[in-house]
């Protein structure tokens, strides 16, 4: 069993504790989801468990990680630039364990991953593989090390729906214990039988952790019910407090009036009123002391207050897009042909398809056309935030348009409601997490009051706690949405029509009303 005892992790840059006095045991059969907002130490924890040198440059820690001779297999979020430059064969050949596998074992491993034995000896550059193929490549390498437990950091990022379903089966069916990070709620619901939740409360000054030995969906349902109960209790206590305060004020005003009116010829009456005032003051002090121990409004990172753009529904007959393209090409290579996409009124469209088929390329070309239109106000959120987010800008400068003091105050308040600390508001964009960058795009779109949102994987960097809020905001948006996504919850709850991009063009997947989203802000 993997054991963690009283682990505290401190970020060296701002000396902030990411995790404090954390203890946990990963047992045989555990499929444990590690969840929390970006920057809370999830990836750092996996690195420390696998090889402390991976986290050494940017954190310090105390406590114990006891592996008892267990060999961990670690899947990083991304291939290193060096690994991406290698042919597939050289990628595997650099690991000594590769040569201990017989051709028969490689053939069986390949079947489990959906590729032939020849794939292991391919000259294809790993950088040219699709997102799903890269995940399978890295997982195959991890299994070649014959690990006793698996540590998977965002294996569901950037993979298509077919690979997501394969990944679900892999995690669910493997005999190895798994500790993994993912933003995909379906994956979590269908695989995780226990949860570790890392949080940063009190404006990211106090870390908090929860270990729950229950399936992911049960944990989330119980968490929401507990938060609702706590919030209702806090509001009830506040109402009672205000009622008592009003009662004390009335009594005090009455006594003060009587003291002012009493005759000097009645000193006994004056003393009685003085005693009464002392009693009222004492009772008020006791009540104030009790109020100090009141139930608090829940402090959660996933609380967001945002409303997007257009507030008046777009007319259903309005033509938003009538797009035709004979061939979709990248660097002279034809990806798809005969593309036709028509969008009317406040439709919410999602384009799906296998990795590498050209979804992002198509969306980018459509965005160029819509952004140039004068009869519509469009906003574009790319998959690669660096395309539109200047790395040296701060959140404040990125969101400012006028530059006056009133606007700056309003933006600071807004950023605070989205859980940015005062320091983070002044940080360069390049130092922000993926989730924080995504929040900036959503705030920018809200300020611009756009008619059409063009979104490439809009939910990929939000946590499982924040994503339900984002989906509800997008479902309530009154304009049109054109998106690319592999997020099955997003497709179900937000999109009214889905198309699959193939080499023969766009094929209608389904048209229906999105499911209602019931989530707590």
């Amino acid at each position: 069993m993997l054991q963690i005892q009283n682990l505290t992790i401190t970020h060296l840059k701002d000396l902030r504790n990411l995790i404090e006095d954390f203890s946990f045991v990963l047992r045989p059969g555990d499929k444990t989801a590690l969840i929390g907002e970006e920057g809370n130490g999830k990836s750092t924890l996996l690195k420390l468990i696998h090889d402390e040198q991976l986290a050494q440059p940017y954190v310090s820690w105390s406590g114990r990680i006891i592996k008892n001779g267990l060999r961990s297999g670690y899947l990083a979020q991304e291939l290193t630039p060096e690994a991406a430059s290698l042919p597939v064969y050289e990628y595997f050949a650099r690991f000594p364990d590769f040569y201990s596998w017989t051709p028969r074992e490689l053939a069986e491993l390949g079947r489990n991953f959906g590729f032939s034995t020849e794939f292991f000896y391919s000259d294809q550059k790993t950088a040219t593989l699709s997102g799903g193929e890269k995940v399978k490549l890295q997982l195959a390498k991890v299994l070649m090390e014959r690990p006793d437990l698996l540590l998977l950091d965002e294996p569901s990022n950037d993979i298509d729906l077919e690979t997501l379903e394969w990944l679900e089966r892999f995690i669910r069916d493997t005999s190895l214990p798994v500790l993994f990070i993912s933003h995909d709620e379906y994956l979590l619901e269908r695989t995780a039988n226990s949860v570790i939740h890392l949080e940063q409360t009190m404006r990211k000054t106090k870390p908090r952790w929860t270990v729950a030995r229950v399936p992911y969906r049960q944990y989330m349902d119980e968490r929401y019910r507990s938060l609702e109960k706590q919030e209702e209790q806090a509001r009830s206590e506040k109402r009672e407090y205000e009622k008592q305060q009003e009662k004390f004020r009335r009594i005090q005003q009455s006594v003060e009036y009587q003291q002012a009116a009493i005759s000097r010829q009645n000193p006994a009456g004056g003393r009685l009123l003085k005693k009464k005032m002392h009693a009222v003051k004492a009772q008020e002090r006791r009540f104030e002391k009790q109020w100090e121990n009141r139930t608090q409004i829940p402090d959660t990172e996933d609380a967001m207050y945002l409303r997007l753009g257009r507030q008046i529904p777009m007319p259903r007959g309005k033509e938003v897009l009538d797009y035709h393209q004979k061939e979709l090409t990248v660097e002279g290579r034809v990806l798809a042909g005969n593309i036709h996409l028509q969008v009317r009124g406040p439709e919410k469209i999602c384009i799906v398809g296998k990795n590498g088929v050209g979804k992002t390329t198509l969306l980018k070309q459509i965005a160029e056309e819509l952004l140039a239109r004068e009869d519509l106000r469009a906003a574009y959120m790319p998959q690669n935030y660096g395309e539109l987010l200047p790395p040296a800008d701060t959140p404040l400068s990125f969101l400012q348009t006028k530059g006056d003091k009133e606007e700056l105050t309003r933006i600071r308040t807004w950023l605070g409601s989205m859980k940015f600390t005062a320091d983070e508001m002044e940080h360069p964009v390049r130092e922000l997490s993926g989730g924080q960058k995504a929040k900036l795009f959503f705030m920018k779109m809200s300020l611009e009051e756009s008619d059409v949102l063009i979104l490439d994987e809009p939910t990929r960097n939000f946590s499982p706690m924040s994503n339900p809020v984002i989906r509800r905001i997008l479902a309530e948006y009154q304009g049109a949405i054109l998106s690319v996504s592999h997020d099955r919850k997003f497709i179900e709850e937000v999109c009214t029509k889905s198309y699959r991009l193939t080499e023969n063009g766009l094929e209608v997947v389904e048209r229906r009303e999105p499911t209602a989203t019931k989530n707590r802000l």
Side-chain angles (χ1 to χ4, degrees):
M1 292 187 299
L2 168 71
Q3 298 180 60
I4 300 175
Q5 297 178 352
N6 308 112
L7 180 67
T8 295
I9 303 175
T10 304
H11 204 290
L12 293 177
K13 182 176 180 179
D14 55 14
L15 300 181
R16 177 171 62 93
N17 281 352
L18 300 176
I19 299 172
E20 198 169 90
D21 200 27
F22 171 67
S23 297
F24 172 72
V25 176
L26 185 69
R27 307 172 302 192
D30 279 353
K31 309 295 170 66
T32 303
L34 183 56
I35 64 174
E37 299 296 310
E38 292 295 316
N40 284 4
K42 302 186 301 296
S43 295
T44 301
L45 178 58
L46 290 191
K47 289 175 182 177
L48 276 178
I49 293 172
H50 179 64
D51 180 359
E52 62 184 34
Q53 292 185 2
L54 295 174
Q56 209 163 32
Y58 64 96
V59 296
S60 63
W61 63 91
S62 61
R64 301 178 68 198
I65 299 175
I66 305 169
K67 297 175 73 170
N68 295 313
L70 295 176
R71 191 174 187 180
S72 58
Y74 172 65
L75 177 73
Q77 278 193 28
E78 297 178 350
L79 284 167
T80 63
E82 180 187 9
S85 68
L86 297 173
V88 170
Y89 171 69
E90 285 190 34
Y91 173 80
F92 286 117
R94 291 200 172 195
F95 297 94
D97 298 283
F98 176 62
Y99 298 99
S100 70
W101 282 66
T102 66
R104 183 176 179 178
E105 288 176 320
L106 284 178
E108 184 178 353
L109 182 65
R111 281 195 300 274
N112 291 335
F113 281 76
F115 44 67
S116 66
T117 307
E118 287 72 26
F119 175 79
F120 296 105
Y121 302 96
S122 170
D123 290 330
Q124 184 179 359
K125 289 284 183 70
T126 58
T128 65
L129 297 174
S130 70
E133 288 171 332
K134 288 175 184 174
V135 168
K136 290 183 177 181
L137 175 93
Q138 293 175 85
L139 265 177
K141 187 272 294 182
V142 166
L143 292 181
M144 284 178 185
E145 298 170 357
R146 304 184 192 275
D148 301 300
L149 61 97
L150 295 176
L151 308 171
L152 311 180
D153 194 351
E154 293 287 3
S156 55
N157 261 8
D158 301 325
I159 60 178
D160 57 36
L161 297 176
E162 290 82 357
T163 309
L164 273 171
E165 292 171 357
W166 173 88
L167 182 62
E168 285 176 7
R169 293 192 297 272
F170 173 82
I171 294 175
R172 190 172 57 243
D173 297 342
T174 182
S175 60
L176 300 174
V178 184
L179 178 60
F180 68 104
I181 303 169
S182 178
H183 291 171
D184 189 284
E185 291 165 74
Y186 262 135
L187 180 74
L188 295 170
E189 290 174 0
R190 295 174 178 178
T191 59
N193 58 22
S194 52
V195 175
I196 299 172
H197 186 181
L198 303 181
E199 300 177 85
Q200 291 282 328
T201 62
M202 300 174 66
R203 293 285 182 179
K204 299 186 179 180
T205 61
K206 181 65 178 175
R208 180 170 69 197
W209 55 268
T210 304
V211 173
R213 296 286 181 182
V214 297
Y216 170 79
R217 186 71 268 157
Q218 182 180 339
Y219 169 72
M220 292 301 292
D221 289 343
E222 291 175 354
R223 175 178 182 265
Y224 285 130
R225 284 196 296 270
S226 175
L227 290 173
E228 288 174 355
K229 183 177 179 181
Q230 181 182 340
E231 183 171 341
E232 178 55 37
Q233 178 68 23
R235 296 190 187 284
S236 175
E237 290 178 10
K238 184 179 180 181
R239 288 193 295 270
E240 183 61 26
Y241 172 77
E242 290 171 348
K243 188 191 302 183
Q244 288 292 338
Q245 287 293 96
E246 179 60 29
K247 179 181 176 182
F248 289 138
R249 279 194 294 270
R250 287 199 305 270
I251 295 173
Q252 189 170 332
Q253 288 171 359
S254 174
V255 173
E256 288 174 348
Y257 175 78
Q258 293 178 56
Q259 283 180 323
I262 197 166
S263 168
R264 291 186 179 180
Q265 284 76 29
N266 187 8
R271 285 194 296 272
L272 286 173
L273 287 173
K274 192 173 182 180
K275 277 187 177 182
K276 188 174 182 180
M277 179 63 80
H278 280 309
V280 171
K281 291 287 188 183
Q283 188 178 3
E284 187 175 12
R285 284 193 295 272
R286 286 195 299 272
F287 193 72
E288 288 288 348
K289 195 169 185 64
Q290 292 175 358
W291 177 244
E292 291 175 3
N293 299 319
R294 67 191 180 278
T295 303
Q296 300 290 334
I297 295 287
D299 181 8
T300 62
E301 290 181 287
D302 45 299
M304 288 187 288
Y305 306 94
L306 184 65
R307 191 173 183 180
L308 284 178
R310 188 183 181 100
Q311 303 305 315
I312 301 173
M314 179 181 285
R316 290 194 174 274
K318 182 176 178 61
E319 183 177 289
V320 176
L321 181 70
D322 191 6
Y323 184 83
H324 295 266
Q325 188 171 349
K326 187 176 180 180
E327 288 183 339
L328 178 67
T329 62
V330 172
E331 298 179 352
R333 183 165 61 96
V334 177
L335 300 176
N338 301 316
I339 295 172
H340 177 215
L341 179 61
Q342 191 173 48
V343 182
R344 293 189 180 278
E347 287 187 310
K348 296 177 172 63
I349 304 297
C350 185
I351 298 173
V352 301
K354 291 186 177 181
N355 290 118
V357 75
K359 301 184 298 296
T360 290
T361 301
L362 175 61
L363 194 71
K364 190 176 296 186
Q365 293 178 6
I366 292 174
E368 290 176 0
E369 179 175 314
L370 288 173
L371 290 168
R373 291 262 295 272
E374 295 183 358
D375 61 322
L376 289 173
R377 183 176 293 177
Y380 174 49
M381 178 180 180
Q383 187 178 131
N384 177 12
Y385 300 148
E387 293 178 23
L388 296 177
L389 264 178
D393 273 14
T394 67
L396 287 170
S397 61
F398 177 71
L399 294 175
Q400 275 184 290
T401 56
K402 301 175 184 175
D404 58 66
K405 186 176 180 181
E406 183 179 343
E407 182 192 42
L408 187 63
T409 301
R410 187 169 64 254
I411 291 174
R412 283 186 180 278
T413 302
W414 203 6
L415 285 166
S417 74
M418 297 289 279
K419 305 302 179 181
F420 281 78
T421 65
D423 287 341
E424 288 169 339
M425 295 178 196
E426 304 283 358
H427 282 181
V429 163
R430 62 175 171 267
E431 296 181 7
L432 300 179
S433 69
Q436 289 173 318
K437 292 175 183 176
K439 287 179 180 179
L440 286 181
F441 271 103
F442 272 86
M443 285 188 275
K444 189 78 167 178
M445 289 188 290
S446 182
L447 286 170
E448 293 173 348
E449 297 187 350
S450 303
D451 302 304
V452 184
L453 305 181
I454 310 155
L455 311 173
D456 196 348
E457 296 284 3
T459 59
R460 68 191 292 265
N461 281 306
F462 287 108
S463 76
M465 287 70 63
S466 297
N467 252 325
V469 183
I470 294 299
R471 291 196 300 271
R472 183 190 58 75
I473 290 168
L474 291 172
E476 293 176 354
Y477 175 63
Q478 299 292 297
I481 294 177
L482 184 58
S483 63
V484 165
S485 182
H486 296 137
D487 182 343
R488 291 162 288 183
K489 293 274 189 181
F490 170 82
I491 296 169
E492 287 182 4
E493 296 178 6
V494 176
C495 302
T496 57
K497 184 188 283 187
S498 298
Y499 291 91
R500 178 173 284 106
L501 181 60
T502 71
E503 61 183 15
N504 298 316
L506 291 168
E507 300 174 354
V508 176
V509 177
E510 59 182 331
R511 184 187 182 98
R512 54 176 174 70
E513 289 299 316
T515 59
T517 309
K518 296 179 181 179
N519 287 301
R520 177 185 178 278
L521 268 177

